[in-house]
């Protein structure tokens, strides 16, 4: 499972997205395309994202609509 905070409509393969997903074998460009398409109506808004990575390298993108406080992410680290 990979947890990130990404600005709506602005996902790209640069850090922190690229290294986090690449280490898990996720297709980074496919994630960026899907995320940007799903969040194009929320440009610039920071959105928490949870990506579940399966053994066969398929991934499931769950984008939560409301930003979580930074204290939540610090507890999860």
């Amino acid at each position: 499972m990979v947890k990130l905070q990404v600005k709506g409509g602005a996902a790209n393969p640069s850090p922190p997205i690229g290294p986090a997903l690449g280490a898990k074998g996720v297709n980074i460009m496919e994630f960026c395309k899907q995320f940007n398409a799903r969040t194009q109506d929320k440009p610039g808004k920071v959105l928490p994202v949870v990506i579940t990575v399966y053994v066969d390298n398929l991934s499931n993108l769950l984008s939560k609509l409301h930003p979580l406080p930074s204290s939540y992410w610090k507890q999860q680290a």
Side-chain angles (χ1 to χ4, degrees):
M1 184 179 307
V2 179
K3 296 179 184 181
L4 299 168
Q5 289 188 359
V6 184
K7 288 184 180 180
N12 60 57
S14 65
I17 297 170
L21 298 183
K24 300 288 186 180
V26 174
N27 183 328
I28 300 164
M29 290 309 296
E30 184 62 30
F31 164 80
C32 291
K33 284 196 278 185
Q34 281 189 36
F35 181 84
N36 291 337
R38 292 182 186 190
T39 61
Q40 64 187 0
D41 60 332
K42 299 172 188 67
K45 184 175 181 182
V46 177
L47 303 169
V49 180
V50 178
I51 304 162
T52 304
V53 182
Y54 298 100
V55 176
D56 59 2
N57 284 338
L58 293 175
S59 61
N60 182 23
L61 168 65
L62 303 173
S63 177
K64 299 177 182 174
L65 299 179
H66 303 288
L68 296 174
S70 61
S71 60
Y72 171 80
W73 294 105
K74 289 177 184 174
Q75 290 174 356
Q76 300 300 317

Coordinates of all heavy atoms in Angstrom, one line a residue:
M1 N 0.8 -1.2 0.0 CA 0.0 0.0 0.0 C 0.9 1.2 0.0 O 1.9 1.3 0.7 CB -0.9 0.0 1.2 CG -1.9 1.1 1.2 SD -3.0 1.2 2.7 CE -3.7 -0.4 2.6
V2 N 0.6 2.2 -0.8 CA 1.3 3.5 -0.9 C 0.3 4.6 -0.6 O -0.8 4.7 -1.2 CB 1.9 3.6 -2.4 CG1 2.6 5.0 -2.5 CG2 2.8 2.5 -2.7
K3 N 0.8 5.5 0.3 CA -0.1 6.6 0.6 C 0.7 7.9 0.2 O 1.9 8.1 0.5 CB -0.3 6.7 2.1 CG -1.2 5.5 2.6 CD -1.4 5.6 4.1 CE -2.2 4.3 4.5 NZ -2.4 4.3 5.9
L4 N 0.0 8.8 -0.5 CA 0.6 10.0 -1.0 C -0.4 11.1 -0.9 O -1.6 10.9 -0.7 CB 0.9 9.9 -2.5 CG 1.9 8.8 -2.9 CD1 1.9 8.6 -4.4 CD2 3.3 9.2 -2.5
Q5 N 0.1 12.4 -0.9 CA -0.7 13.5 -1.1 C -0.3 14.2 -2.4 O 0.8 14.5 -2.6 CB -0.5 14.5 0.1 CG -1.1 14.0 1.4 CD -1.0 15.0 2.5 OE1 -0.5 16.1 2.3 NE2 -1.5 14.7 3.7
V6 N -1.3 14.3 -3.3 CA -1.0 14.8 -4.6 C -2.0 15.9 -5.0 O -3.2 15.8 -4.7 CB -1.2 13.7 -5.6 CG1 -0.8 14.2 -7.0 CG2 -0.3 12.5 -5.2
K7 N -1.5 17.0 -5.6 CA -2.4 18.1 -6.0 C -3.3 17.6 -7.2 O -2.8 16.9 -8.1 CB -1.6 19.3 -6.5 CG -0.9 20.0 -5.4 CD -0.3 21.3 -5.9 CE 0.4 22.0 -4.7 NZ 1.1 23.2 -5.2
G8 N -4.6 17.9 -7.1 CA -5.5 17.5 -8.1 C -5.1 17.9 -9.5 O -4.7 19.1 -9.7
G9 N -5.2 17.0 -10.5 CA -4.9 17.3 -11.8 C -3.4 17.6 -12.1 O -3.0 18.0 -13.2
A10 N -2.5 17.3 -11.1 CA -1.1 17.7 -11.3 C -0.1 16.6 -11.0 O 1.0 16.8 -10.7 CB -0.8 18.9 -10.4
A11 N -0.6 15.3 -11.1 CA 0.3 14.2 -10.9 C 1.3 14.1 -12.0 O 0.9 14.2 -13.2 CB -0.5 12.9 -10.7
N12 N 2.6 13.9 -11.7 CA 3.6 13.7 -12.7 C 4.6 12.7 -12.1 O 4.6 12.5 -10.9 CB 4.2 15.0 -13.1 CG 4.9 15.7 -12.0 OD1 5.7 15.2 -11.3 ND2 4.4 17.0 -11.8
P13 N 5.5 12.1 -12.9 CA 6.4 11.1 -12.4 C 7.6 11.6 -11.6 O 8.4 10.8 -11.2 CB 6.9 10.4 -13.7 CG 6.7 11.4 -14.8 CD 5.5 12.2 -14.3
S14 N 7.7 12.8 -11.3 CA 8.8 13.3 -10.5 C 8.6 13.0 -9.0 O 7.5 12.6 -8.6 CB 8.9 14.8 -10.7 OG 7.8 15.5 -10.2
P15 N 9.6 13.1 -8.2 CA 9.4 12.8 -6.8 C 8.3 13.7 -6.2 O 8.1 14.8 -6.6 CB 10.8 13.2 -6.2 CG 11.7 13.0 -7.3 CD 11.0 13.5 -8.5
P16 N 7.6 13.2 -5.3 CA 7.7 11.9 -4.6 C 6.9 10.8 -5.2 O 7.0 9.6 -4.8 CB 7.1 12.2 -3.2 CG 6.0 13.2 -3.5 CD 6.5 14.1 -4.6
I17 N 6.1 11.1 -6.3 CA 5.2 10.1 -6.9 C 6.1 9.0 -7.6 O 5.9 7.8 -7.3 CB 4.2 10.7 -7.8 CG1 3.3 11.6 -7.1 CG2 3.4 9.6 -8.6 CD1 2.4 12.5 -8.0
G18 N 6.9 9.4 -8.5 CA 7.7 8.4 -9.2 C 8.5 7.4 -8.4 O 8.3 6.2 -8.6
P19 N 9.3 7.8 -7.5 CA 10.1 6.9 -6.7 C 9.2 6.0 -5.8 O 9.4 4.8 -5.6 CB 11.0 7.8 -5.8 CG 11.1 9.0 -6.6 CD 9.8 9.2 -7.3
A20 N 8.1 6.6 -5.2 CA 7.2 5.8 -4.4 C 6.5 4.7 -5.1 O 6.4 3.5 -4.7 CB 6.2 6.7 -3.7
L21 N 6.0 5.0 -6.3 CA 5.3 4.0 -7.1 C 6.3 3.0 -7.8 O 6.0 1.8 -7.9 CB 4.4 4.7 -8.1 CG 3.3 5.5 -7.5 CD1 2.4 6.1 -8.6 CD2 2.5 4.8 -6.5
G22 N 7.4 3.6 -8.3 CA 8.4 2.7 -9.0 C 8.9 1.7 -8.1 O 9.2 0.5 -8.6
A23 N 9.1 2.0 -6.9 CA 9.7 1.0 -5.9 C 8.7 -0.2 -5.7 O 9.1 -1.3 -5.4 CB 10.0 1.6 -4.6
K24 N 7.4 0.1 -6.0 CA 6.4 -1.0 -5.8 C 6.1 -1.7 -7.1 O 5.2 -2.5 -7.2 CB 5.1 -0.4 -5.2 CG 5.3 0.2 -3.8 CD 5.6 -0.9 -2.8 CE 5.6 -0.2 -1.4 NZ 5.9 -1.2 -0.4
G25 N 6.7 -1.2 -8.2 CA 6.4 -1.8 -9.5 C 5.1 -1.3 -10.2 O 4.6 -2.0 -11.1
V26 N 4.6 -0.2 -9.8 CA 3.4 0.4 -10.4 C 3.8 1.2 -11.6 O 4.8 1.8 -11.7 CB 2.7 1.3 -9.3 CG1 1.5 2.0 -9.9 CG2 2.3 0.5 -8.1
N27 N 2.9 1.1 -12.6 CA 3.1 1.9 -13.9 C 2.8 3.3 -13.5 O 1.7 3.8 -13.3 CB 2.1 1.4 -14.9 CG 2.3 2.1 -16.2 OD1 2.7 3.3 -16.3 ND2 2.1 1.4 -17.3
I28 N 3.9 4.1 -13.4 CA 3.8 5.5 -12.9 C 3.0 6.4 -13.9 O 2.1 7.2 -13.5 CB 5.2 6.1 -12.7 CG1 6.0 5.3 -11.7 CG2 5.1 7.6 -12.3 CD1 7.5 5.5 -11.7
M29 N 3.2 6.3 -15.2 CA 2.5 7.1 -16.1 C 1.0 6.8 -16.2 O 0.2 7.7 -16.3 CB 3.1 6.9 -17.5 CG 4.5 7.6 -17.7 SD 4.5 9.3 -17.1 CE 3.4 10.1 -18.2
E30 N 0.7 5.5 -16.0 CA -0.8 5.1 -16.0 C -1.4 5.7 -14.7 O -2.6 6.2 -14.8 CB -0.9 3.6 -16.0 CG -2.4 3.1 -16.0 CD -3.1 3.6 -17.3 OE1 -2.4 3.7 -18.4 OE2 -4.3 3.8 -17.2
F31 N -0.7 5.7 -13.6 CA -1.3 6.3 -12.4 C -1.5 7.8 -12.6 O -2.6 8.3 -12.3 CB -0.4 6.1 -11.2 CG -0.7 7.0 -10.1 CD1 -1.8 6.8 -9.2 CD2 0.0 8.2 -9.9 CE1 -2.1 7.6 -8.2 CE2 -0.4 9.1 -8.9 CZ -1.4 8.8 -8.0
C32 N -0.5 8.5 -13.2 CA -0.6 9.9 -13.4 C -1.8 10.2 -14.3 O -2.6 11.2 -14.0 CB 0.7 10.5 -14.0 SG 2.1 10.4 -12.8
K33 N -1.9 9.5 -15.4 CA -3.1 9.7 -16.3 C -4.4 9.5 -15.6 O -5.3 10.4 -15.7 CB -3.0 8.8 -17.5 CG -1.9 9.2 -18.5 CD -2.1 8.6 -19.9 CE -1.5 7.2 -19.9 NZ -1.5 6.5 -21.2
Q34 N -4.6 8.4 -14.9 CA -5.8 8.1 -14.2 C -6.1 9.2 -13.1 O -7.2 9.7 -13.0 CB -5.8 6.8 -13.5 CG -6.0 5.6 -14.5 CD -6.2 4.3 -13.7 OE1 -6.7 4.3 -12.6 NE2 -5.7 3.2 -14.3
F35 N -5.1 9.5 -12.3 CA -5.3 10.5 -11.3 C -5.7 11.8 -11.8 O -6.6 12.5 -11.3 CB -4.0 10.6 -10.4 CG -4.2 11.5 -9.3 CD1 -4.8 11.1 -8.1 CD2 -3.8 12.8 -9.4 CE1 -5.0 12.0 -7.0 CE2 -4.0 13.7 -8.3 CZ -4.5 13.3 -7.2
N36 N -5.0 12.3 -12.8 CA -5.2 13.6 -13.4 C -6.6 13.6 -14.0 O -7.3 14.7 -13.9 CB -4.2 14.0 -14.4 CG -2.9 14.3 -13.7 OD1 -2.8 14.6 -12.5 ND2 -1.8 14.2 -14.5
A37 N -7.0 12.6 -14.7 CA -8.4 12.5 -15.3 C -9.5 12.6 -14.2 O -10.5 13.3 -14.3 CB -8.5 11.2 -16.1
R38 N -9.3 11.8 -13.1 CA -10.3 11.8 -12.0 C -10.3 13.1 -11.2 O -11.3 13.3 -10.5 CB -10.0 10.6 -11.1 CG -10.2 9.3 -11.7 CD -9.9 8.2 -10.7 NE -10.0 6.9 -11.3 CZ -10.0 5.8 -10.7 NH1 -9.9 5.8 -9.3 NH2 -10.0 4.6 -11.3
T39 N -9.2 13.8 -11.2 CA -9.2 15.0 -10.3 C -9.1 16.3 -11.1 O -8.7 17.3 -10.5 CB -8.0 14.9 -9.4 OG1 -6.8 14.8 -10.1 CG2 -8.1 13.7 -8.5
Q40 N -9.4 16.3 -12.4 CA -9.3 17.5 -13.2 C -10.2 18.6 -12.7 O -10.0 19.8 -12.9 CB -9.5 17.3 -14.6 CG -10.9 16.8 -15.0 CD -11.0 16.3 -16.4 OE1 -10.1 16.4 -17.2 NE2 -12.2 15.9 -16.8
D41 N -11.3 18.3 -11.9 CA -12.2 19.3 -11.4 C -11.7 19.9 -10.1 O -12.4 20.7 -9.5 CB -13.6 18.7 -11.3 CG -13.6 17.5 -10.3 OD1 -12.6 16.8 -10.2 OD2 -14.7 17.3 -9.7
K42 N -10.6 19.4 -9.6 CA -10.0 19.9 -8.3 C -8.6 20.3 -8.5 O -7.7 19.9 -7.7 CB -10.1 18.7 -7.2 CG -11.4 18.2 -6.9 CD -11.3 17.0 -6.1 CE -12.7 16.3 -5.9 NZ -13.2 15.8 -7.1
P43 N -8.3 21.2 -9.4 CA -6.9 21.6 -9.7 C -6.3 22.3 -8.5 O -6.9 23.2 -7.9 CB -7.1 22.6 -10.9 CG -8.5 23.1 -10.8 CD -9.3 22.0 -10.2
G44 N -5.1 21.9 -8.2 CA -4.3 22.5 -7.1 C -4.7 22.1 -5.7 O -4.0 22.3 -4.8
K45 N -5.8 21.4 -5.5 CA -6.2 21.0 -4.2 C -5.5 19.7 -3.8 O -5.4 18.7 -4.6 CB -7.7 20.7 -4.2 CG -8.3 20.3 -2.8 CD -9.8 20.1 -2.8 CE -10.3 19.8 -1.4 NZ -11.7 19.6 -1.4
V46 N -4.8 19.7 -2.6 CA -4.0 18.6 -2.2 C -5.0 17.5 -1.8 O -5.8 17.7 -0.9 CB -3.1 18.9 -1.1 CG1 -2.3 17.7 -0.6 CG2 -2.1 20.0 -1.5
L47 N -4.9 16.3 -2.4 CA -5.7 15.2 -2.1 C -4.9 14.0 -1.6 O -3.9 13.6 -2.2 CB -6.5 14.8 -3.4 CG -7.3 15.8 -4.1 CD1 -7.7 15.4 -5.5 CD2 -8.5 16.2 -3.2
P48 N -5.4 13.3 -0.5 CA -4.8 12.1 -0.1 C -5.1 11.0 -1.0 O -6.3 10.9 -1.5 CB -5.3 11.9 1.3 CG -6.6 12.6 1.3 CD -6.5 13.7 0.3
V49 N -4.1 10.1 -1.3 CA -4.3 9.0 -2.3 C -3.8 7.7 -1.6 O -2.7 7.8 -1.0 CB -3.6 9.3 -3.6 CG1 -3.8 8.1 -4.5 CG2 -4.0 10.5 -4.2
V50 N -4.6 6.7 -1.7 CA -4.1 5.4 -1.2 C -4.1 4.4 -2.4 O -5.1 4.3 -3.1 CB -5.1 4.8 -0.1 CG1 -4.6 3.4 0.3 CG2 -5.1 5.8 1.1
I51 N -2.9 3.8 -2.7 CA -2.8 2.9 -3.8 C -2.5 1.5 -3.2 O -1.5 1.4 -2.5 CB -1.7 3.4 -4.7 CG1 -2.0 4.8 -5.2 CG2 -1.5 2.4 -5.9 CD1 -0.8 5.5 -5.8
T52 N -3.3 0.6 -3.5 CA -3.1 -0.8 -3.1 C -2.4 -1.5 -4.2 O -2.9 -1.5 -5.4 CB -4.5 -1.5 -2.8 OG1 -5.1 -0.7 -1.8 CG2 -4.2 -2.9 -2.2
V53 N -1.3 -2.1 -4.0 CA -0.5 -2.8 -5.0 C -0.6 -4.3 -4.7 O -0.4 -4.8 -3.6 CB 1.0 -2.4 -4.9 CG1 1.8 -3.1 -6.0 CG2 1.1 -0.9 -5.1
Y54 N -1.1 -5.0 -5.7 CA -1.3 -6.4 -5.6 C 0.0 -7.2 -6.1 O 0.8 -6.6 -6.8 CB -2.5 -6.9 -6.5 CG -3.8 -6.2 -6.0 CD1 -4.3 -5.1 -6.6 CD2 -4.4 -6.7 -4.8 CE1 -5.5 -4.5 -6.1 CE2 -5.6 -6.1 -4.3 CZ -6.1 -5.0 -5.0 OH -7.2 -4.3 -4.5
V55 N 0.0 -8.4 -5.8 CA 1.2 -9.3 -6.1 C 1.5 -9.3 -7.6 O 2.7 -9.3 -8.0 CB 1.0 -10.7 -5.5 CG1 2.2 -11.6 -5.9 CG2 0.9 -10.7 -4.0
D56 N 0.5 -9.3 -8.4 CA 0.7 -9.4 -9.8 C 0.9 -8.0 -10.5 O 0.8 -7.8 -11.7 CB -0.5 -10.1 -10.5 CG -1.8 -9.4 -10.3 OD1 -1.8 -8.4 -9.6 OD2 -2.8 -9.9 -10.7
N57 N 1.2 -7.0 -9.6 CA 1.5 -5.6 -10.0 C 0.3 -4.8 -10.6 O 0.5 -3.8 -11.1 CB 2.7 -5.5 -11.0 CG 4.0 -5.7 -10.4 OD1 4.1 -5.5 -9.2 ND2 5.0 -6.2 -11.1
L58 N -0.9 -5.4 -10.4 CA -2.1 -4.6 -10.7 C -2.2 -3.6 -9.6 O -1.9 -3.9 -8.4 CB -3.3 -5.4 -10.9 CG -3.3 -6.4 -12.1 CD1 -4.6 -7.3 -12.0 CD2 -3.3 -5.6 -13.4
S59 N -2.8 -2.4 -9.8 CA -2.9 -1.5 -8.7 C -4.4 -1.0 -8.7 O -5.0 -1.0 -9.7 CB -2.0 -0.3 -8.8 OG -2.2 0.3 -10.0
N60 N -4.8 -0.6 -7.6 CA -6.2 -0.1 -7.4 C -6.0 1.3 -6.8 O -5.5 1.5 -5.7 CB -6.9 -1.0 -6.5 CG -8.4 -0.5 -6.2 OD1 -8.9 0.2 -7.0 ND2 -8.9 -1.0 -5.2
L61 N -6.5 2.4 -7.4 CA -6.4 3.7 -7.0 C -7.6 4.1 -6.2 O -8.7 4.0 -6.7 CB -6.2 4.7 -8.2 CG -6.3 6.2 -7.9 CD1 -5.2 6.6 -7.0 CD2 -6.3 6.9 -9.3
L62 N -7.4 4.6 -5.0 CA -8.5 5.1 -4.2 C -8.1 6.5 -3.8 O -7.2 6.8 -3.1 CB -8.6 4.3 -2.9 CG -8.9 2.8 -3.0 CD1 -8.8 2.1 -1.7 CD2 -10.2 2.5 -3.7
S63 N -8.9 7.4 -4.4 CA -8.6 8.8 -4.1 C -9.7 9.3 -3.1 O -10.9 9.3 -3.4 CB -8.6 9.7 -5.4 OG -8.4 11.0 -5.0
K64 N -9.3 9.8 -2.0 CA -10.3 10.3 -1.0 C -10.5 11.8 -1.4 O -9.6 12.4 -1.8 CB -9.7 10.1 0.4 CG -9.5 8.7 0.7 CD -8.9 8.5 2.1 CE -8.7 7.0 2.3 NZ -8.0 6.8 3.6
L65 N -11.7 12.2 -1.2 CA -12.1 13.6 -1.6 C -11.7 14.7 -0.7 O -11.6 15.8 -1.1 CB -13.6 13.6 -1.9 CG -14.0 12.6 -3.0 CD1 -15.5 12.7 -3.2 CD2 -13.3 12.9 -4.3
H66 N -11.5 14.4 0.6 CA -11.2 15.5 1.5 C -9.7 15.3 2.0 O -9.3 14.2 2.4 CB -12.1 15.4 2.7 CG -13.6 15.6 2.3 ND1 -14.1 16.7 1.8 CD2 -14.5 14.6 2.2 CE1 -15.4 16.5 1.4 NE2 -15.6 15.3 1.7
P67 N -9.0 16.4 2.0 CA -7.6 16.3 2.6 C -7.6 15.9 4.0 O -8.5 16.3 4.8 CB -7.1 17.7 2.4 CG -7.9 18.3 1.4 CD -9.3 17.7 1.5
L68 N -6.7 15.1 4.4 CA -6.5 14.6 5.8 C -5.5 15.5 6.5 O -4.5 16.0 5.8 CB -6.0 13.2 5.9 CG -7.0 12.2 5.3 CD1 -6.4 10.8 5.3 CD2 -8.3 12.2 6.1
P69 N -5.6 15.8 7.8 CA -4.6 16.6 8.5 C -3.2 15.9 8.4 O -3.1 14.7 8.4 CB -5.1 16.7 9.9 CG -6.1 15.6 10.0 CD -6.6 15.3 8.7
S70 N -2.2 16.8 8.5 CA -0.8 16.3 8.4 C -0.5 15.3 9.6 O 0.3 14.4 9.5 CB 0.2 17.4 8.4 OG 0.1 18.2 9.5
S71 N -1.2 15.5 10.7 CA -1.0 14.6 11.8 C -1.3 13.2 11.5 O -0.7 12.3 12.0 CB -1.8 15.1 13.1 OG -3.1 15.1 12.8
Y72 N -2.3 13.0 10.7 CA -2.7 11.6 10.2 C -1.5 11.0 9.5 O -1.2 9.9 9.8 CB -3.9 11.7 9.3 CG -4.2 10.3 8.7 CD1 -4.9 9.3 9.4 CD2 -3.8 10.1 7.4 CE1 -5.2 8.1 8.8 CE2 -4.1 8.9 6.8 CZ -4.8 7.9 7.5 OH -5.0 6.7 7.0
W73 N -0.9 11.7 8.6 CA 0.1 11.1 7.8 C 1.4 10.9 8.6 O 2.1 9.9 8.4 CB 0.5 12.1 6.6 CG -0.7 12.1 5.6 CD1 -1.5 13.2 5.5 CD2 -1.1 11.1 4.7 NE1 -2.5 12.9 4.5 CE2 -2.2 11.6 4.1 CE3 -0.7 9.8 4.4 CZ2 -2.9 10.9 3.1 CZ3 -1.3 9.1 3.5 CH2 -2.5 9.6 2.8
K74 N 1.6 11.7 9.6 CA 2.8 11.5 10.5 C 2.6 10.2 11.3 O 3.6 9.5 11.5 CB 3.0 12.7 11.4 CG 3.5 13.9 10.6 CD 3.6 15.1 11.6 CE 4.0 16.3 10.8 NZ 4.0 17.5 11.6
Q75 N 1.4 9.9 11.7 CA 1.1 8.7 12.5 C 1.2 7.5 11.6 O 1.6 6.4 12.1 CB -0.3 8.8 13.0 CG -0.5 9.8 14.1 CD -2.0 9.9 14.6 OE1 -2.9 9.2 14.0 NE2 -2.2 10.7 15.6
Q76 N 0.9 7.6 10.3 CA 1.0 6.5 9.4 C 2.4 6.1 9.0 O 2.7 5.0 8.5 CB 0.1 6.7 8.2 CG -1.3 7.0 8.5 CD -2.0 5.8 9.2 OE1 -1.8 4.7 8.8 NE2 -2.7 6.1 10.2
A77 N 3.3 7.0 9.1 CA 4.7 6.8 8.6 C 5.5 5.8 9.5 O 5.2 5.5 10.6 CB 5.4 8.2 8.6

